[in-house]
């Protein structure tokens, strides 16, 4: 236990004040920062799906992110080093500094730092994971290929690599090599597309909300944006904190904050219900087959809007804005607005089929009406 610590929370506060246990000030590419933030959002949905009673993430604590199993009385800590990879595999030289010529690990390599940080914590169970979108090509004790393994404990590496790692750690700590437990740290490959992070995570959040708050699944992108902004802001606040409470306030994201963000969606208009209501009103005299086609296209449009934001073949808000403003000024009924919108869309979206044109018109009419109601 670090000097001066009498309890878990005190130990975390002592660690926070130790410059040797932080990598503040390092340079990160935009995609690297984005990968870390979006990965945490995905992890939030995983923990909620597992019905974890409490948890808190702290940005830039020892590693990129620390996950505690409680915001008040933590008994477990998991440290994450998060690294994107554009192409190729992760190998031992980049992870531990071990090469074919020398198995002696290098202190400045990410996995060595992760091992030492995990082993620093004494009052709670501490584990760590080096997480990447890339795969790992490392030598396993089994002699099998590792490139399709998504979770690889360091103890599963071959004898040459594990022995050298244990010796290096033991020498640094003044203990025997067989006292070093490498199973506490793992290599983890998570399939997140670094070139399309927003779309990928929006899709995961869409599926999550469809289960926990179905009426507001359409707000998935907004929720992701909210969490992303919070995480980015917290990851930039790398000044030292003097207490656990201050640490959570400045760099933490609690389960309570996440569930509160989900709960806030209940105060937003139920857009899906509004769209279906308008469809029922406008399509009451359509042939049944057209009603079914428009309903299916309306669902597809809503999903694509969440995944792609303002881009894509379903985008038409800017084209229709002036039409809706004029219709409001003139007090046009919904049927007249709808027909005018469809007429305009036929000209600007010639690639779309008639039922898709109707779906976009209904979608954008609903968005416009709700924006004016809640302006």
């Amino acid at each position: 236990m670090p000097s001066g610590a009498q309890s878990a929370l005190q130990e975390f506060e002592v660690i926070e004040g130790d410059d040797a246990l932080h990598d503040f000030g390092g340079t990160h590419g935009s995609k690297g920062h984005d990968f870390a933030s979006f990965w945490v959002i995905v992890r939030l949905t995983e923990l909620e799906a597992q019905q974890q009673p409490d948890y808190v993430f702290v940005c830039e604590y020892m590693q990129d992110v620390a996950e505690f199993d409680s915001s008040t009385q933590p008994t477990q800590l998991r440290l994450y080093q998060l690294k994107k990879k554009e192409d190729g595999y992760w190998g031992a030289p980049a992870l531990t500094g071990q090469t074919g010529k020398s198995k002696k690990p290098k202190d400045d390599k990410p996995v060595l730092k992760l091992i030492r940080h995990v082993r620093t914590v004494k009052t709670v169970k501490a584990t760590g994971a080096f997480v990447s979108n890339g795969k790992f090509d490392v030598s396993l004790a089994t002699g099998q290929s590792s490139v399709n393994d998504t979770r690889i404990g360091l103890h599963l590496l071959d004898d040459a690599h594990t022995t050298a790692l244990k010796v290096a750690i033991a020498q640094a700590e003044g203990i025997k090599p067989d006292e070093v437990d490498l199973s506490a740290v793992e290599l983890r490959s998570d399939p997140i597309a670094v070139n399309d992070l927003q779309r990928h995570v929006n899709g995961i959040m869409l599926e999550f909300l469809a289960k926990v708050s179905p009426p507001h699944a359409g707000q998935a992108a907004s929720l992701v944006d909210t969490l992303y902004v919070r995480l980015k802001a917290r990851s930039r606040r790398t000044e030292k904190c003097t207490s656990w409470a201050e640490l959570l306030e400045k760099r933490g994201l609690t389960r309570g904050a996440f569930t509160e963000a989900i709960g806030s969606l209940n105060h937003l208009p139920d857009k899906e219900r509004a769209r279906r209501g308008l469809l029922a009103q406008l399509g009451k005299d359509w042939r049944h087959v057209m009603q079914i086609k428009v309903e299916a296209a309306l669902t597809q449009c809503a999903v694509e809007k969440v995944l792609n934001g303002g881009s894509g073949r379903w985008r038409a808000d800017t084209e229709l804005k002036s039409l809706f403003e004029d219709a409001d000024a003139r007090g046009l009924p919904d049927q007249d607005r709808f027909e005018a919108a469809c007429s305009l869309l036929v000209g600007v979206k010639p690639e779309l089929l008639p039922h898709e044109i109707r779906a976009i018109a209904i979608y954008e009419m609903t968005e416009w009406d709700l924006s004016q109601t809640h302006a």
Side-chain angles (χ1 to χ4, degrees), residues 96-137:
T96 62
Q98 295 169 296
T99 66
K101 292 183 178 180
S102 173
K103 294 299 182 286
K104 182 178 181 181
K106 296 180 179 179
D107 292 340
D108 62 342
K109 294 301 179 180
V111 171
L112 259 293
K113 292 181 180 180
L114 181 57
I115 295 172
R116 286 179 172 147
H117 286 176
V118 166
R119 292 181 60 80
T120 296
V121 181
K122 304 299 183 183
T123 57
V124 302
K125 180 182 178 181
T127 57
F130 178 94
V131 183
S132 178
N133 61 297
K135 295 184 177 182
F136 299 94
D137 186 6

Side-chain angles (χ1 to χ4, degrees), residues 21 62-63 79 81 95-96 98 105-107 109-122 126-130 153-155 157 161-162 164-170 172-173 175 179-187:
L21 295 174
M62 301 179 78
Q63 294 286 314
L79 299 174
Q81 174 67 214
L95 297 169
T96 62
Q98 295 169 296
K106 296 180 179 179
D107 292 340
K109 294 301 179 180
V111 171
L112 259 293
K113 292 181 180 180
L114 181 57
I115 295 172
R116 286 179 172 147
H117 286 176
V118 166
R119 292 181 60 80
T120 296
V121 181
K122 304 299 183 183
T127 57
F130 178 94
L154 295 186
H155 65 294
L157 301 180
H161 287 83
T162 57
L165 285 171
K166 288 181 178 180
V167 168
I169 297 297
E173 296 183 7
I175 60 176
E179 297 179 52
V180 178
D181 178 16
L182 295 179
S183 67
V185 175
E186 68 176 359
L187 308 176

Side-chain angles (χ1 to χ4, degrees), residues 31 34-35 38 86 133 191-204 306-309 311:
K31 285 184 181 178
D34 288 348
F35 176 75
F38 282 121
E86 299 286 355
N133 61 297
I192 297 181
V194 294
N195 292 321
D196 207 357
L197 284 165
Q198 183 85 46
R199 177 185 171 89
H200 182 96
V201 178
N202 283 354
I204 291 174
V306 170
L307 297 179
N308 295 324
S311 62

Side-chain angles (χ1 to χ4, degrees), residues 59-367:
C59 299
E60 300 293 342
Y61 184 83
M62 301 179 78
Q63 294 286 314
D64 291 325
V65 178
E67 175 189 319
F68 298 85
D69 67 341
S70 170
S71 59
T72 56
Q73 296 293 330
T75 60
Q76 295 184 44
L77 163 64
R78 191 160 182 78
L79 299 174
Y80 296 106
Q81 174 67 214
L82 298 151
K83 296 286 188 184
K84 68 177 178 64
K85 193 163 184 63
E86 299 286 355
D87 51 49
Y89 301 130
W90 289 102
L95 297 169
T96 62
Q98 295 169 296
T99 66
K101 292 183 178 180
S102 173
K103 294 299 182 286
K104 182 178 181 181
K106 296 180 179 179
D107 292 340
D108 62 342
K109 294 301 179 180
V111 171
L112 259 293
K113 292 181 180 180
L114 181 57
I115 295 172
R116 286 179 172 147
H117 286 176
V118 166
R119 292 181 60 80
T120 296
V121 181
K122 304 299 183 183
T123 57
V124 302
K125 180 182 178 181
T127 57
F130 178 94
V131 183
S132 178
N133 61 297
K135 295 184 177 182
F136 299 94
D137 186 6
V138 293
S139 298
L140 301 178
T142 61
Q144 301 296 313
S145 171
S146 67
V147 295
N148 291 320
D149 294 341
T150 58
R151 310 285 279 268
I152 305 170
L154 295 186
H155 65 294
L156 299 177
L157 301 180
D158 65 18
D159 289 344
H161 287 83
T162 57
T163 298
L165 285 171
K166 288 181 178 180
V167 168
I169 297 297
Q171 288 178 344
E173 296 183 7
I175 60 176
K176 295 179 180 179
D178 59 8
E179 297 179 52
V180 178
D181 178 16
L182 295 179
S183 67
V185 175
E186 68 176 359
L187 308 176
R188 175 170 171 171
S189 177
D190 284 348
I192 297 181
V194 294
N195 292 321
D196 207 357
L197 284 165
Q198 183 85 46
R199 177 185 171 89
H200 182 96
V201 178
N202 283 354
I204 291 174
M205 187 61 73
L206 178 65
E207 293 180 2
F208 172 74
L209 288 178
K211 296 177 182 177
V212 302
S213 184
H216 302 289
Q219 272 74 49
S222 297
L223 181 56
V224 169
D225 286 342
T226 298
L227 295 170
Y228 173 80
V229 170
R230 290 188 186 183
L231 288 165
K232 290 282 282 188
R234 282 155 175 73
S235 65
R236 287 194 293 267
R237 302 197 67 173
T238 56
E239 68 272 19
K240 289 182 181 178
C241 299
T242 59
S243 68
W244 174 253
E246 183 185 6
L247 186 63
L248 296 195
E249 178 185 357
K250 291 185 176 179
R251 301 212 301 276
L253 182 65
T254 64
R255 178 178 186 268
F258 181 43
T259 55
E260 182 181 343
I262 296 173
S264 69
L265 298 178
N266 293 323
H267 302 295
L268 297 176
D270 187 340
K271 294 184 177 182
E272 182 179 359
R273 180 181 298 179
R275 288 193 293 265
R276 291 186 181 279
L278 185 57
L279 170 60
Q281 172 191 328
L282 297 173
K284 63 182 183 297
D285 296 325
W286 299 348
R287 293 182 61 210
H288 186 236
V289 66
M290 177 58 75
Q291 292 177 353
I292 293 174
K293 285 185 175 181
V294 173
E295 184 175 7
L298 192 56
T299 299
Q300 182 182 359
C301 175
V303 171
E304 289 294 325
K305 288 278 191 175
V306 170
L307 297 179
N308 295 324
S311 62
R313 66 197 298 267
W314 300 99
R315 181 180 180 277
D317 54 320
T318 55
E319 291 87 345
L320 293 171
K321 182 175 183 293
S322 59
L323 184 151
F324 291 151
E325 289 176 337
D326 179 66
D328 283 355
R330 296 165 56 194
L332 292 182
D334 290 339
Q335 184 65 41
D336 291 349
R337 281 199 305 158
F338 173 70
E339 292 176 359
C342 288
S343 178
L344 184 151
L345 289 171
V346 167
V348 299
K349 297 283 186 179
E351 72 278 11
L352 296 183
L353 297 173
H355 66 278
E356 294 176 320
I357 291 291
R358 296 186 188 192
I360 294 180
I362 291 172
Y363 182 94
E364 296 299 346
M365 283 177 66
T366 305
E367 291 290 304

